[in-house]
Amino acid sequence: MEVLTSQNYQEKISQGAVVVDVGANWCPDCRKISPMMDALAKDYSQVKIFKVDFDQSEDLRESLGIKRIPTLIFYKDGKEVGQRLVEPDTKNIIEAEFKKLV
């Protein structure tokens, strides 16, 4: 999955159905949902999934108001839709939001 920065964030989320996964390599919960996100990427090929590195993109993290990770943000044509998932722990919870997005 492509990692976004503050320089390309708006461009990448501007078209279609997009999920942004904010996390970090050291985060156990982020590592836990990673295979779930990979599976959902295959099942929902029409949804673009991007990552934001919590440590590397401090300015982006602050502008998005991210306090805890992992956080999933859902966009449709550049507008945030649905609810943010903060520390989701099951594929079913995440997939329910994917279904709403498409």
Side-chain angles (χ1 to χ4, degrees), residues 39-49 95 98-99 102:
L40 289 166
K42 290 181 183 134
D43 293 342
Y44 294 85
S45 58
Q46 70 272 43
V47 176
K48 293 179 273 188
I49 303 174
E95 189 167 19
F98 267 76
K99 286 179 180 176
V102 292

Side-chain angles (χ1 to χ4, degrees), residues 2 12 14 17 19-21 23 30 40 49 52 56-58 64 68 72 74 85-86 91 101-102:
E2 184 178 349
K12 295 292 185 174
S14 66
V19 177
V20 177
D21 177 0
C30 301
L40 289 166
I49 303 174
V52 170
Q56 299 297 318
S57 297
E58 191 173 323
L64 293 171
R68 298 184 330 218
L72 302 178
F74 300 86
L85 295 181
V86 179
K91 183 179 175 190
L101 191 59
V102 292

